[in-house]
């Protein structure tokens, strides 16, 4: 049976590493990128790949989340693993100078959108009574220097995703599908993390269901 994998997230080093590892494992996979609405150019770094089935996604729309999940299921025949990758953009600004447009984009695309997508994917997994939901985030301190503006929005989006992950992991044992979490605290070691992620997903069992796997210099394979 063909393995159906859906990747969702924004363009980042973490996303690219996981997509590369996915390409090494399956002939085709579905991918939904959060549009880069903070830039004038949409998806500037997304390159064509014959193995990727690109699916449009408007994270701020519940209907778009449903359309995305159904489209991925139809194109892949079934979704076995949905890997949600959170690595929100950095927006450095003084509190009084926060761009209101950026606030709306972060709230809609990098916070609200995850809740909509999780609802649709878990509904599919619950109906099938199988599947793996993997929630992945870059757990890096994006602090600023003494004379540098703080990143207020990015860490707020990350904190929301982390809280969502913890809630889903706590509820995992009551569901007929697997839920696992992954955090990476190493910058520049995304390739090794992607390999670790898939190894852990391949080995997930009822016993390891609901576990948060931490990857970094001081906590490999924990």
């Amino acid at each position: 049976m063909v393995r159906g994998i859906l990747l969702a997230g924004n363009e980042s080093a973490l996303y690219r590493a996981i997509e590369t590892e996915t390409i090494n494992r399956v002939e085709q996979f579905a991918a939904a990128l959060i549009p880069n609405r903070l830039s004038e150019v949409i998806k500037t770094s997304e390159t064509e790949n014959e193995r990727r089935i690109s699916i449009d996604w408007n994270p701020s729309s519940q209907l778009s989340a449903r359309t995305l999940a159904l489209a991925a299921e139809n194109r892949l025949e079934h979704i076995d693993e949905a890997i949600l990758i959170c690595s929100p953009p950095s927006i450095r600004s003084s509190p009084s100078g926060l761009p209101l447009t950026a606030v709306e984009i972060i709230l809609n695309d990098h916070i609200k959108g995850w809740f909509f997508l999780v609802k649709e994917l878990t509904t599919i997994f619950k109906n099938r009574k199988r599947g793996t939901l993997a929630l992945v985030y870059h757990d890096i301190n994006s602090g600023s220097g003494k004379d540098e503006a703080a990143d207020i929005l990015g860490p707020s989006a990350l904190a929301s995703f982390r809280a969502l992950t913890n809630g889903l992991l706590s509820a995992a044992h009551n569901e007929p599908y697997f839920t696992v979490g992954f955090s990476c605290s190493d910058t520049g070691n995304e390739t090794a993390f992607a390999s670790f992620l898939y190894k852990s997903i391949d080995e997930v069992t009822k016993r390891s269901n609901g576990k948060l796997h931490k990857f970094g210099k001081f906590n490999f394979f924990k």
Side-chain angles (χ1 to χ4, degrees):
M1 184 173 66
V2 178
R3 184 176 182 179
I5 298 177
L6 167 66
L7 304 183
N10 59 296
E11 173 65 31
S12 64
L14 183 60
Y15 178 91
R16 289 192 297 272
I18 294 174
E19 179 172 279
T20 298
E21 185 66 26
T22 305
I23 291 170
N24 294 333
R25 290 171 174 267
V26 293
E27 290 298 319
Q28 277 197 318
F29 64 96
L33 279 174
I34 297 173
N36 183 10
R37 297 200 290 134
L38 292 168
S39 170
E40 293 181 357
V41 181
I42 303 298
K43 301 180 184 179
T44 54
S45 56
E46 183 183 2
T47 56
E48 291 299 322
N49 188 293
E50 61 182 9
R51 296 193 181 188
R52 181 201 303 123
I53 301 171
S54 296
I55 301 176
D56 290 335
W57 179 28
N58 175 9
S60 65
S61 166
Q62 182 181 3
L63 178 59
S64 181
R66 183 169 302 172
T67 301
L68 162 59
L70 293 176
E73 193 174 33
N74 289 336
R75 298 290 297 277
L76 297 171
E77 296 185 3
H78 46 77
I79 303 173
D80 297 301
E81 293 143 23
I83 303 175
L84 312 187
I85 307 156
C86 178
S87 185
S90 175
I91 304 172
R92 298 192 178 276
S93 170
S94 65
S96 61
L98 271 178
L100 296 182
T101 300
V103 173
E104 288 288 342
I105 289 172
I106 291 296
L107 288 174
N108 286 326
D109 293 0
H110 297 275
I111 296 180
K112 186 167 70 173
W114 291 123
F115 288 87
F116 288 158
L117 187 55
V118 162
K119 173 178 171 54
E120 299 303 329
L121 292 172
T122 53
T123 297
I124 289 174
F125 288 156
K126 192 163 189 174
N127 290 337
R128 288 189 67 207
K129 294 183 169 51
R130 60 178 299 179
T132 299
L133 177 66
L135 300 113
V136 187
Y137 56 90
H138 230 161
D139 201 4
I140 295 176
N141 181 8
S142 58
S144 58
K146 182 178 179 180
D147 300 320
E148 187 179 15
D151 179 10
I152 299 175
L153 296 178
S156 298
L158 180 60
S160 173
F161 189 87
R162 188 188 296 115
L164 172 62
T165 297
N166 289 338
L168 292 170
L169 294 178
S170 297
H173 299 289
N174 297 321
E175 303 293 347
Y177 53 85
F178 295 139
T179 304
V180 285
F182 296 90
S183 68
C184 176
S185 59
D186 262 5
T187 302
N189 206 16
E190 289 85 4
T191 298
F193 172 68
S195 177
F196 164 69
L197 178 146
Y198 267 111
K199 182 177 184 295
S200 301
I201 289 176
D202 291 343
E203 297 175 354
V204 67
T205 63
K206 287 185 178 181
R207 185 174 181 179
S208 58
N209 185 29
K211 180 178 179 180
L212 175 63
H213 301 265
K214 297 182 179 182
F215 184 93
K217 291 179 180 178
F218 305 107
N219 50 23
F220 280 177
F221 305 100
K222 290 185 180 180

